[in-house]
Every structure is written in C-alpha cells, then in structure tokens.
C-alpha cells in the first residue's frame, strides 16, 4: 500500500483523517489523496465505523422519494396569478394617477415669459394697492370685467357642467341661456 | 482512474458501490438563458425553473420541517418570493443558491413560529435514544429506514441538520452551502463534519446490533 501517513502521524487517527474521510464521501477529495485515505481506513477501526455509518445513513436516506403533489403545484400557480393580478391593478392605478399628476413640460421661452409677466405684475401691485378701488389684480389698462347684477327674480338651475338661468315670470317661455 | 478496493466489505457491499457525491456549480447550458428570460418577465421561463427546482426545494423543506403540509406552504412562499424579487438576482450563476437561501429563510421562520427551535447551545435535543429496528438494517422496510433516518435528522440541531440536508439530500457543493447559509467554506465543512460525527454516533449502535445478529446467525 502507499504511504499511510499523509498528515504526519502513523496510524494514529487525527482530525485531518476525519476531514479527508468527509471530503471523500462528498466527492471532494483529490484522486491522488484517496489511496492514502484507503490505507488509513485499512488500519483504523474508528474511521471505518464512521464511514460505514455515514454510508449506511446515505443508503437509508435515499429510500424516500419526495415528489411535489400536483395540488401543491396548482396552489403555487394560483397564488402567483393572484399576485400578478394585484400587481396589474396597482400598475393601472399608477398609470391613471400619472395622467393627472404628470408634470407639464415647460419650454425655456415659456418660462421666460412667465417670469416677465410675474415681474410686471410685481411692479404694478404696489401701485394698485394704493388705490382705494383695488379689488382685483388687474390694471386699468387691462381688460375690465363687468358683472351685470342678476335680476332679483331670476332663478338659477344647475346641471353638471351647465348653469341655466330663468326668470320666475316666464320660466317656461324663456329658453335656457348658457352663462 | 486509480481504484483501490478497500479490505473491508460488509455483507458484500463495499463503500465504493455507493458513488461519492459529486456536485457541480456549473449551470446547465440552457439554464443561463432561462434565468435571463425569467428576469425579463418571461413566465414560461419561470415555470421551467419552477419545474427544475421544485423537487429539490420541496425535499429540503420536508426534511427541515419534518412536515409535508408545512413544506408545501414554504415551497409556495419561496417561489412567490423568487417571482416577486426576480430583479434582485444579480448573478444568474447563483440562482440555485438564491432559491435555497429563500427556502432556508422561510424554513427557519417556520421553525421559529412552530417553536421547534430549542436552545442553540445543545448539540442535540430531546431523547437521543433511537428507535432500534427489529430487523437488519439492510432488510428493513423502506418506510422503517425512512423513519429511522428522519428520527436521527430530527435529533440534530437546526444548523447541523440544514448542512446535512443540503449536502446529502440536495447535493449542494460546499461553496453553495456556504452561500445559502451565509457562512464561510471552513465553517460549512466544520459543521458538516460535526453533524456527520453525530449521525455516525446514532447509526453505529444500529449497525453494531445488526453485526451481532448476523454473527449469531452464522454460529451453529
Ligand atoms: Zn482514523
């Protein structure tokens, strides 16, 4: 047999033999180290018993075929389907929300224009505040909007998106007038 | 290949008749593409991967939890997480380790929940006396053999049991076990060797008894 002392000691069993034994059963012991392990096993009863026990355990542990029951497969895919549907719903909601909250792209020119308008408004505001009749942020030069007082007897009928007005007197005769 | 037949045979069975485990961390040729397809949202790829790994993951869970129903729940949870977190997997080569890591975490959570985890200080818990089989080990019914090894497995503490299951049942390499259990290669070897020493100590009386029985039968 080959040299039975790969790790120093003669036939005294050391931890390194146990490691070699484990690596052998795991298929990790290099081929060239195997003859020396076998030689040690031939002279070491404890290592032999360990090896036999480990291999007996392995033989016995392979007696139990474990297959995933079809019902478990179904359960996995059912669950995944639920997750997917939920994710799709969340996605859809996010897309709808983004229509409302999406930032409007603003060009540099438009931004400059807004800045100029704000500047002009800023210049005019103090002047207007000095005037007694200063109810709106509109200058005299700008369009003045006059609101005609509504007739006292007028009634307003509100429909979604449309306001109609009619007088008490000829509510039936006067056609609806959009505001 | 140099083969040296060892001088010891038991009942005509040499340990060379049980091939040593070999494990490969190399991905099968088509698997890389499959994993990439899965990551980009291909559901057929996911189903293929599920079919490839489900038995191994299920086997791991059954052995870790000792309960098939719980194992099915954990299997479901594991693949759900695989599906949901597919973008987090960075290296396709570590897919297997990644799946087992998720399964292992789920199992440990389950064990914590079912309060099966006993003090980590103890090497073994419960009564280590094994149910000694009446017949010879070699002639035991399959179900009796399964019962015996499951009993022994159950005697191991969780971190010994998991390395034994990953190595002996699921055939993971030392490196893969290290990745799954978040430990170093040397820590994995150390735990695996200690776990085997423990298992051997459980098995030896059974084998001894069998040996004596065989000897008694041979004596006229
Ligand atoms: Zn030895």
């Amino acid at each position: 047999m080959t040299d039975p002392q790969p790790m120093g000691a003669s036939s005294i069993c050391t931890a390194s033999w146990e490691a070699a034994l484990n690596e052998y059963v795991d298929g990790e012991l290099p081929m060239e180290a195997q003859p020396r392990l076998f030689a040690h096993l031939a002279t070491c009863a404890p290592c032999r018993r360990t090896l036999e026990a480990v291999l007996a355990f392995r033989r016995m542990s392979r007696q139990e075929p474990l297959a995933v029951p079809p019902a478990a497969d179904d359960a996995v895919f059912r669950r995944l389907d639920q997750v997917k549907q939920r994710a799709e719903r969340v996605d859809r909601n996010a897309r709808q929300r983004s229509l409302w909250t999406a930032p409007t792209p603003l060009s540099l020119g438009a931004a400059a224009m807004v800045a100029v308008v704000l500047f002009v408004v800023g210049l005019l505001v103090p002047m207007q505040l000095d005037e007694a009749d200063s109810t709106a942020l509109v200058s005299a030069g700008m369009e003045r909007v006059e609101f005609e007082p509504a007739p006292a007897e007028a009634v307003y009928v509100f429909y979604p998106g449309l306001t109609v007005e009619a007088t008490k007197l000829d509510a039936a005769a006067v056609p609806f007038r959009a505001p | 290949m140099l083969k040296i037949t060892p001088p010891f045979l038991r009942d005509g069975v040499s340990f060379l008749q049980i091939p040593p485990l070999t494990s490969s961390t190399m991905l099968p040729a088509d698997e890389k593409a499959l994993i990439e397809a899965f990551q980009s949202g291909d559901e057929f790829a996911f189903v293929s991967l599920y079919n490839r790994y489900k038995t191994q993951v299920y086997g791991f869970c059954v052995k870790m939890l000792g309960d098939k129903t719980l194992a099915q729940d954990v299997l479901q949870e594991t693949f759900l997480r695989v599906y949901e977190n597919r973008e987090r997997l960075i290296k396709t080569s570590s897919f297997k380790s990644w799946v087992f890591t998720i399964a292992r975490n789920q199992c440990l959570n389950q064990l914590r929940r079912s309060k099966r985890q006993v003090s980590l200080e103890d090497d073994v818990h419960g009564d280590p006396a094994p149910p000694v089989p009446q017949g010879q080990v070699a002639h035991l019914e399959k179900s009796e053999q399964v019962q015996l090894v499951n009993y022994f497995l159950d005697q191991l503490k969780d971190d010994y049991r998991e390395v034994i299951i990953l190595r002996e049942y699921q055939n993971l390499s030392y490196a893969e076990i290290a990745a799954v259990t978040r430990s170093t290669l040397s820590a994995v070897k150390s735990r695996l060797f200690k776990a085997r020493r423990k298992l051997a100590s459980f098995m030896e009386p059974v084998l001894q008894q069998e040996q004596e029985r065989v000897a008694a039968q041979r004596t006229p």
Side-chain angles (χ1 to χ4, degrees):
Chain A
M1 276 241 169
T2 48
D3 176 20
Q5 302 132 33
M7 288 110 191
S10 58
S11 60
I12 295 165
C13 195
T14 59
S16 54
W17 283 121
E18 188 192 24
L21 185 77
N22 273 281
E23 283 168 8
Y24 172 72
V25 297
D26 286 331
E28 306 255 1
L29 188 70
M31 198 66 79
E32 59 273 18
Q34 292 183 12
R36 288 182 297 189
L37 173 67
F38 295 161
H40 173 74
L41 286 168
T43 62
C44 180
C47 277
R48 224 159 47 226
R49 277 200 300 275
T50 302
L51 179 65
E52 285 172 358
V54 167
L55 294 178
F57 178 86
R58 183 172 293 174
R59 265 200 306 273
M60 289 162 67
S61 67
R62 291 182 183 176
Q63 301 296 333
E64 187 181 20
L66 284 168
V68 180
D73 286 336
D74 291 346
V76 170
F77 291 116
R78 243 194 338 268
R79 184 91 189 274
L80 277 168
D81 207 45
Q82 285 169 0
V83 167
K84 246 175 49 197
Q85 281 177 7
R86 205 167 46 231
E88 276 164 12
R89 262 203 307 277
V90 168
D91 247 27
R92 228 179 6 250
N93 289 343
R95 265 202 308 278
Q96 278 169 357
R97 241 194 335 272
S98 70
L99 280 178
W100 300 104
T101 56
T104 315
L106 193 67
S107 73
L108 205 63
M113 185 82 86
V114 168
V116 168
V117 167
L118 286 174
F119 178 71
V120 170
V121 168
L123 284 179
L124 295 174
V125 166
M127 286 157 49
Q128 274 217 327
L129 288 176
D130 289 343
E131 294 170 12
D133 181 24
S134 56
T135 47
L137 284 179
V138 253
S139 72
M142 289 172 91
E143 189 184 5
R144 183 173 286 267
V145 183
E146 301 269 344
F147 290 98
E148 218 179 332
E153 70 277 24
V155 290
Y156 293 89
V157 184
F158 295 96
Y159 290 102
L162 178 75
T163 307
V164 292
E165 181 191 323
T167 60
K168 267 182 190 166
L169 295 173
D170 48 5
V174 179
F176 289 158
R177 200 174 73 211
Chain B
M1 180 182 154
L2 175 66
K3 264 195 179 176
I4 296 178
T5 307
F8 45 94
L9 291 164
R10 176 186 290 279
D11 301 335
V13 179
S14 151
F15 67 74
L16 287 178
Q17 283 176 267
I18 301 172
L21 294 176
T22 49
S23 51
S24 168
T25 46
M26 291 270 290
L27 280 181
D30 61 330
E31 192 155 306
K32 191 172 181 288
L34 207 55
I35 294 163
E36 282 167 359
F38 155 62
Q39 286 193 284
S40 61
D42 184 334
E43 293 188 0
F44 288 104
F46 174 76
V47 175
S48 297
L49 288 168
Y50 170 76
N51 284 330
R52 268 181 204 209
Y53 286 102
K54 65 175 182 180
T55 310
Q56 263 186 300
V57 171
Y58 178 63
F60 171 72
C61 298
V62 170
K63 293 292 158 190
M64 279 297 283
L65 302 170
D67 183 312
K68 288 182 181 170
T69 309
L70 285 179
Q72 285 168 31
D73 291 347
V74 170
L75 175 79
Q76 193 182 104
E77 207 55 46
T78 299
F79 278 95
L80 199 73
R81 275 158 203 261
V82 166
Y83 181 83
E84 287 184 317
N85 295 296
R86 58 190 177 276
E87 280 149 18
R88 290 198 191 173
L89 173 67
I90 297 161
K91 267 171 65 189
T92 47
S93 61
S94 53
F95 181 78
K96 186 179 175 186
S97 305
W98 182 57
V99 174
F100 272 102
T101 304
I102 297 173
R104 176 206 182 230
N105 289 344
Q106 296 298 313
C107 284
L108 293 182
N109 287 344
Q110 184 59 53
L111 286 173
R112 264 178 227 124
R113 273 200 291 274
S114 40
K115 298 192 192 317
R116 270 196 55 193
Q117 192 156 12
V118 192
S119 166
L120 288 173
E121 300 306 311
D122 301 329
D123 254 14
V124 292
H125 56 79
D127 178 9
V132 179
Q134 294 306 303
Q136 293 174 28
V137 171
H139 300 143
L140 280 180
E141 290 290 320
K142 279 185 181 180
S143 61
E144 290 175 301
Q145 295 189 25
V146 168
Q147 211 184 346
L148 196 63
V149 291
N150 285 347
Y151 177 83
F152 291 151
L153 266 185
D154 202 46
Q155 299 307 308
L156 298 176
K157 61 176 186 163
D158 292 344
D159 59 348
Y160 281 6
R161 188 164 70 247
E162 70 180 4
V163 289
I164 285 288
I165 297 168
L166 290 170
R167 184 63 215 166
E168 289 289 331
Y169 290 82
Q170 310 312 332
N171 206 16
L172 265 63
S173 68
Y174 292 159
E176 284 171 330
I177 298 172
V180 171
T181 59
R182 313 254 157 140
S183 31
T184 61
L185 215 62
S186 59
V188 165
K189 284 189 188 183
S190 163
R191 261 189 291 154
L192 187 60
F193 300 173
K194 282 180 188 163
R196 284 219 177 98
R197 204 186 295 159
K198 209 87 214 168
L199 278 180
S201 76
F202 296 153
M203 287 293 294
E204 276 171 21
V206 178
L207 295 174
Q208 179 72 32
Q209 202 182 41
E210 184 194 345
Q211 219 170 15
E212 284 163 9
R213 201 177 288 122
V214 171
Q217 279 169 0
R218 279 182 190 152
T219 327

